[in-house]
Amino acid sequence: MTEPKPPGKLFLVGLGPGGREHMTGRAREAIAAADTLIGHATYLRLVADLVGDQQVVKSGMTEEVERARLAVELAQAGRTVALISSGDSGVYGMAGLTFEVLFQSGWTPETGFPVEVVPGATALTSCAALVGAPLSHDFCAISLSDLLTPWPVIARRLNAAAAADFVCALYNPKSGRRTRQLQEAQRLFLCHRRPDTPVALVHAAFRPRQRVELTTLAALDGCEIGMLTTVLIGNSQTQVRHGLLITPRGYTNKYDLAGGTTVAGERAGTSLSSGLDAWLAAIRASAEGVEQLAARYQLPARYIAELLDAPDAAATEADIDLLRSPRADVRH
């Protein structure tokens, strides 16, 4: 009677920027535990000093499906596999594709071999660390690669992010064959942002060919940018101070930073006087109709109508007091 094969395991490993000092302990443990390492040749070179006598399978760009299929097949056969991505495996990495392959093969977490996603610092946070604190307020990431995503979808996302005043990280901004996508992204952002909006370009963060450049949205198309560059576009509040890109979190809306006290009309631990409660009170007290309010605040009319029809639609005395606060500016 033959002994059943022990179950395999699949690690989906994010290396972070690549250097050992920025790699998590769990990522190093997963690489050491694996008997097979699979990844893009560039990423495997980043961990060459961690590789022992394991089997190493290297591949190139556009071969992601083959890597994912091989990793799943080997784990199904009882191997312990580490599928390597730079940054975070779940952020434009191999994790999503691999789960698609797993589900297509009939794998489930309950019946299949174990799969562990090992997180790593993604390019967005690695690049931000080199230029200051540009992500201190709301931000988003958008890939400009149209190899797998239709351009109209990307354009709608760029336009929405620009209009909503997100700090935005652009991944995969340009390659040898894709040169116009970044120009179109710049064009869309200039429809909503000032030409002097600060922009940081970070190439190969924390790697030997690292390069950091601060520029503006208007000058973006004249800069040297490639596939290993991440573009960080500031929002309307982002500042350049002493060579650092800083996006304020909004503390000055509530606090006197020099004295540490709250400003007039604000209280620590409560919403701003221009926060949700005051805004709800304002629209409920307004003589404007749904369509006018929707246009004023650039929000869907359906959303405004549902707010006005909600059971708590009657403004309370507390709402009115908050609305009359000297700091209230709900129309901003």
Side-chain angles (χ1 to χ4, degrees):
M1 183 175 178
T2 59
E3 291 288 330
K5 287 185 178 181
K9 180 165 185 176
L10 177 55
F11 293 103
L12 301 170
V13 181
L15 300 180
R20 184 181 292 206
E21 68 275 17
H22 295 115
M23 198 180 304
T24 67
R26 185 55 180 160
R28 294 195 296 270
E29 290 172 356
I31 291 169
D35 51 53
T36 303
L37 304 176
I38 302 175
H40 188 282
T42 299
Y43 306 150
L44 289 171
R45 281 197 295 271
L46 296 174
V47 295
D49 61 329
L50 300 178
V51 178
D53 58 358
Q54 297 110 314
Q55 178 188 11
V56 177
V57 182
K58 303 177 183 179
S59 62
M61 292 292 289
T62 74
E63 298 177 10
E64 295 87 355
V65 174
E66 290 79 3
R67 287 201 293 273
R69 286 170 55 87
L70 178 60
V72 170
E73 289 172 4
L74 291 176
Q76 285 173 331
R79 306 289 293 271
T80 299
V81 181
L83 181 55
I84 305 296
S85 297
S86 68
D88 184 284
S89 183
V91 180
Y92 302 120
M94 290 295 298
L97 170 60
T98 304
F99 277 115
E100 289 185 68
V101 173
L102 282 163
F103 292 138
Q104 193 173 61
S105 73
W107 175 93
T108 70
E110 295 76 23
T111 62
F113 54 83
V115 176
E116 179 181 342
V117 180
V118 181
T122 184
L124 187 147
T125 52
S126 299
C127 295
L130 291 171
V131 299
L135 307 179
S136 292
H137 214 315
D138 298 334
F139 62 88
C140 68
I142 299 174
S143 171
L144 296 191
S145 174
D146 57 3
L147 296 178
L148 300 172
T149 305
W151 177 254
V153 174
I154 298 171
R156 285 196 299 272
R157 292 172 180 172
L158 289 166
N159 186 67
D165 205 30
F166 283 109
V167 174
C168 192
L170 301 182
Y171 281 64
N172 306 314
K174 185 183 289 189
S175 69
R177 288 177 294 182
R178 291 187 303 102
T179 59
R180 186 171 172 180
Q181 284 79 357
L182 183 60
Q183 294 176 356
E184 298 308 316
Q186 178 192 32
R187 196 191 311 272
L188 282 164
F189 267 80
L190 283 170
C191 291
H192 303 280
R193 306 276 173 96
R194 299 188 317 270
D196 63 349
T197 298
V199 174
L201 308 175
V202 183
H203 177 85
F206 295 102
R207 297 180 188 173
R209 295 185 178 182
Q210 172 183 300
R211 186 180 72 251
V212 177
E213 179 182 356
L214 297 185
T215 185
T216 65
L217 185 58
L220 183 58
D221 57 348
C223 298
E224 183 181 350
I225 297 170
M227 273 295 288
L228 296 180
T229 305
T230 300
V231 180
L232 299 175
I233 302 176
N235 69 8
S236 62
Q237 303 302 308
T238 304
Q239 310 162 9
V240 178
R241 304 287 292 273
H242 303 286
L244 296 172
L245 213 64
I246 309 297
T247 303
R249 178 68 178 87
Y251 283 96
T252 54
N253 291 331
K254 181 171 285 191
Y255 299 99
D256 175 355
L257 299 186
T261 57
T262 56
V263 299
E266 301 295 347
R267 290 180 294 172
T270 64
S271 297
L272 284 172
S273 59
S274 56
L276 174 60
D277 291 339
W279 179 68
L280 289 174
I283 66 168
R284 290 163 181 169
S286 174
E288 293 180 303
V290 169
E291 296 296 335
Q292 290 173 299
L293 289 167
R296 175 185 297 281
Y297 296 111
Q298 300 178 47
L299 292 168
R302 174 180 171 180
Y303 173 67
I304 298 294
E306 289 178 355
L307 285 179
L308 295 176
D309 291 340
D312 62 345
T316 65
E317 288 300 319
D319 289 332
I320 299 301
D321 288 344
L322 193 59
L323 181 60
R324 291 171 177 163
S325 163
R327 288 283 297 171
D329 183 14
V330 295
R331 293 179 184 269
H332 179 61

